[in-house]
Amino acid sequence: MEPALAILVGILVAVAVWLMLSRNFVRLLLGFAMLGNGVNLSIFVAGRLSREAPPLVVEGEVVLGAAAANALPQALVLTAIVIGFGLLSFALVLAWKAHERLGTVRTDEMRVAEPERTP
Amino acid sequence: MNGWFAALAILIPLAASAVTLLAHARPKAQTALSLGFAALLLADAVLLMGAVWRDGMVVVQASAWDAPFGITLAVDTLGAVMTLIAAITGLACLVYATAEIAEEHRRAFFHPLSHVLLAGVCGSFVTGDLFNLYVWFEVLLIASFGLLVIGGTKAQTDGAVKYVALNLVATSLFLFSVGLIYGLTGTLNMADLARVVPRVENTGVLNAAAMMLMAAFGMKAAVFPLFFWLPAAYHTPLVSVSAVFAGLLTKVGVYALMRVVTLIFTHDPAWIHGVLLWTAGLTMVTGVLGAAAQNEWRRILSFHIVSQIGYMIMGLAIGTKLALVGAVFYLVHHIVVKANLFLIAGVAQRLAGSMELKRSGGLYAAAPWLAMLFFIPAFSLAGFPPLSGFWAKFILIKAALDERGWWIAAAALVTGLLTIYSMTKIWGEAFWKPHPDGAITVTTAPRAMTVPIAVLAACTIVIGLFAQPFLAVAERAAAELGDPAAYAAAVLGALP
């Protein structure tokens, strides 16, 4: 299962890089969302996949059984998803504001902060 | 008791952001609370520094989960120094802000966001866990996004788009390498990583993870060739915001680089230090050349941040004890000087009406006190003795020459020379040249602006004239950085 998911991570990252190379800020943000999913999936795979048992301690035992899923990557991914969501929603509002105030979402047309030198 | 000082460095600013948010409808109370909590953070940072100096490393295992299973806070000398300097800078900029920000800026949550930013910065300095470091990076990042756009001008929106875009990439890279490192080692506790990483057999993947992590931190630290977001954004926000950013944010990246390079990625020093050395040289030179082409106060200063970051990376790349002493000393000196220069730029704009050097001038005749206050950090930045920058540069260049790093020493010296060129350009244009619109009528600034500037300038002079105690702290920080085994032992205890 891991190799298949690793390939999926690769595809997600490739698509994300392609989107992020665009000069359109909205496409860049879509790329970021895609990249975030690829990264989260890679953390999940890094914790090794096992689907035999949920990570619950059986009554009477004190440790998890050998077949239990790794709970840590799930916690990490959950944190990363929440953070990624926050960043993405800020960035989307920023894109909207850029469209409103600057009249463009193309980054090469945004020259207000760094005006081109007039000779 | 010592553990509480470390935890409070995070809890105080977090509490401050909550409390200032509650007092949002009462401007006076909010400002007073904001300053009060910033002062409290400073007091805590002083106590933390004292505790680390007296008793050695402060380690807190959150909820009594032993390392490496729980989240660890681990503060060594470097972490304590950085927390202290962050608290000083934070307080200075918040005091300055009381005179600068208008009601609409305050209503845009300036105070709560500032404290969230400080929580993120201090959190990064006290944590001992790689994933926790990621979380603090995000905390300070999202707060910095909010602060950057307060005011909502066109230039700010433009700068924010570039700042946000590159930081999102850096964030993803950071998280990606965290995932890879976890997959390789099964742990994210930095002390545990220090033990486990040298034993990893798959060095190919390890080096890939190391490179991604260094690229991510390098982007935050604004090193060549990843610095373009910084001069695109740092001249747009409020002055007090840009001063905090200039002083602290890139330095969090440098701190993280120092931490991972000295503690975790010790398996292949020749290669990693080689990459860092090239980066350092190119960062110094491109930064200072970029500054030479600029004609606006804060854009010149922004490019100088980039160039100065190069010096710190140079110390890290050379990696001898003396070089690390230099890097730590440089870090401390630079935060004070750079934040101060941005604050002075704000006062200069207030008096002369513009930050564009062409539309500025006459400041020396109108406000000689400001000229004096500018002189101190500006020439400290350029490395004039006996100011703090001289000792920082002297140690680094000596360390480079000891290791026969001729070209990096030459690059550092040339960069210092070109820094003088930029500073004399500001001096000549903004201070000596008569103002194009006639004499300046406003010659004073509110005390809330001048006092923080004077205090920070006094810090620069004190560090320069009484360098010995600061060097002793830097030496101890460097000795600890050079001994990852001791760090691991302090955090993990008697674990096999």
Side-chain angles (χ1 to χ4, degrees):
Chain A
M1 198 60 190
E2 275 100 343
L5 283 177
I7 291 169
L8 179 59
V9 170
I11 294 172
L12 280 171
V13 171
V15 173
V17 168
W18 182 71
L19 279 170
M20 291 177 106
L21 289 175
S22 163
R23 289 190 177 82
N24 185 327
F25 188 52
V26 179
R27 282 170 76 98
L28 185 142
L29 293 181
L30 291 175
F32 169 69
M34 197 78 95
L35 186 61
N37 286 328
V39 170
N40 288 341
L41 197 57
S42 82
I43 297 180
F44 196 61
V45 179
R48 307 297 187 275
L49 299 173
S50 57
R51 50 184 178 152
E52 279 82 7
L56 298 172
V57 181
V58 184
E59 200 175 344
E61 298 282 321
V62 283
V63 290
L64 285 171
N70 188 348
L72 185 67
Q74 302 184 17
L76 300 184
V77 169
L78 187 60
T79 314
I81 288 174
V82 174
I83 291 173
F85 175 75
L87 293 178
L88 188 64
S89 32
F90 179 91
L92 284 172
V93 174
L94 183 67
W96 172 246
K97 284 285 166 193
H99 175 65
E100 241 180 30
R101 289 180 191 147
L102 308 172
T104 179
V105 287
R106 291 180 65 82
T107 43
D108 52 348
E109 286 165 9
M110 297 180 186
R111 306 293 314 189
V112 186
E114 296 174 286
E116 275 160 303
R117 190 67 63 86
T118 43
Chain B
M1 190 60 214
N2 286 354
W4 274 107
F5 297 143
L8 281 173
I10 304 170
L11 294 176
I12 290 172
L14 280 181
S17 62
V19 172
T20 47
L21 207 52
L22 286 176
H24 194 59
R26 298 163 187 272
K28 283 217 173 99
Q30 191 190 35
T31 310
L33 280 171
S34 177
L35 293 182
F37 271 93
L40 208 58
L41 177 64
L42 179 56
D44 177 64
V46 170
L47 290 173
L48 177 64
M49 183 71 225
V52 170
W53 190 252
R54 210 174 43 242
D55 306 334
M57 232 173 108
V58 173
V59 178
V60 185
Q61 314 288 4
S63 307
W65 278 75
D66 279 339
F69 302 109
I71 291 173
T72 305
L73 302 183
V75 194
D76 60 356
T77 310
L78 178 63
V81 168
M82 297 300 291
T83 312
L84 180 58
I85 211 87
I88 293 173
T89 315
L91 181 61
C93 293
L94 279 170
V95 171
Y96 183 96
T98 56
E100 187 203 7
I101 62 169
E103 174 63 12
E104 55 166 310
H105 301 140
R106 194 195 63 79
R107 293 197 71 80
F109 303 105
F110 173 82
H111 289 292
L113 283 172
S114 299
H115 285 285
V116 174
L117 184 81
L118 282 177
V121 171
C122 293
S124 308
F125 293 150
V126 301
T127 189
D129 184 281
L130 202 56
F131 194 80
N132 200 231
L133 181 66
Y134 164 76
V135 174
W136 291 121
F137 261 79
E138 297 313 302
V139 169
L140 74 87
L141 195 61
I142 199 91
S144 73
F145 287 175
L147 285 170
L148 191 61
V149 294
I150 287 182
T153 62
K154 278 187 176 185
Q156 277 178 309
T157 316
D158 183 345
V161 165
K162 289 151 194 174
Y163 179 84
V164 167
L166 276 163
N167 275 297
L168 290 183
V169 177
T171 291
S172 305
L173 277 179
F174 186 176
L175 194 58
F176 217 145
S177 57
V178 165
L180 285 181
I181 291 169
Y182 178 69
L184 281 171
T185 62
T187 181
L188 288 173
N189 184 297
M190 292 206 257
D192 204 22
L193 282 172
R195 282 188 321 132
V196 178
V197 163
R199 286 191 239 140
V200 170
E201 283 166 13
N202 193 345
T203 49
V205 180
L206 185 65
N207 277 341
M211 270 300 106
M212 284 212 287
L213 205 55
M214 281 162 65
F217 291 155
M219 225 180 263
K220 307 266 183 194
V223 299
F224 180 87
L226 308 165
F227 64 83
F228 296 101
W229 57 272
L230 192 150
Y234 271 25
H235 62 296
T236 59
L238 298 170
V239 171
S240 39
V241 169
S242 65
V244 173
F245 282 18
L248 296 179
L249 291 199
T250 45
K251 263 54 77 180
V252 179
V254 176
Y255 167 84
L257 265 178
M258 284 175 131
R259 188 58 83 203
V260 297
V261 169
T262 57
L263 184 63
I264 300 175
F265 298 120
T266 49
H267 60 287
D268 194 356
W271 185 65
I272 286 180
H273 287 216
V275 172
L276 282 176
L277 199 62
W278 275 100
T279 313
L282 290 168
T283 307
M284 277 193 263
V285 174
T286 44
V288 85
L289 289 178
Q294 300 301 324
N295 284 304
E296 203 251 6
W297 269 88
R298 282 199 283 179
R299 280 184 65 80
I300 294 178
L301 295 177
S302 297
F303 271 103
H304 276 297
I305 299 177
V306 175
S307 122
Q308 310 281 311
I309 294 289
Y311 283 97
M312 299 164 209
I313 306 295
M314 165 184 162
L316 178 62
I318 297 170
T320 56
K321 178 154 181 245
L322 186 65
L324 287 174
V325 171
V328 173
F329 194 88
Y330 209 106
L331 205 54
V332 171
H333 132 80
H334 175 84
I335 292 177
V336 174
V337 161
K338 188 54 84 175
N340 202 10
L341 280 172
F342 270 79
L343 295 182
I344 291 168
V347 175
Q349 179 190 33
R350 199 181 169 89
L351 300 188
S354 175
M355 285 215 201
E356 289 290 340
L357 291 180
K358 272 185 200 141
R359 283 186 279 135
S360 176
L363 281 170
Y364 185 75
W369 55 271
L370 185 66
M372 277 320 293
L373 287 178
F374 171 74
F375 187 85
I376 295 163
F379 285 82
S380 175
L381 189 76
F384 270 63
L387 297 162
S388 58
F390 169 71
W391 300 110
K393 283 197 172 64
F394 177 76
I395 299 167
L396 279 175
I397 290 170
K398 174 150 189 342
L401 293 178
D402 285 351
E403 293 297 303
R404 302 183 180 281
W406 310 119
W407 67 265
I408 191 80
L413 286 170
V414 169
T415 307
L417 204 64
L418 289 171
T419 309
I420 302 174
Y421 166 73
S422 286
M423 290 303 129
T424 43
K425 182 163 75 181
I426 296 183
W427 182 260
E429 291 280 322
F431 287 92
W432 269 0
K433 181 189 77 179
H435 198 287
D437 306 336
I440 293 173
T441 47
V442 192
T443 57
T444 55
R447 200 162 293 160
M449 289 187 170
T450 52
V451 169
I453 291 175
V455 169
L456 290 180
C459 285
T460 306
I461 294 180
V462 169
I463 296 176
L465 291 182
F466 303 97
Q468 193 50 46
F470 297 92
L471 270 179
V473 175
E475 268 177 12
R476 190 160 136 185
E480 288 175 1
L481 284 177
D483 190 2
Y487 183 100
V491 173
L492 299 170
L495 220 68

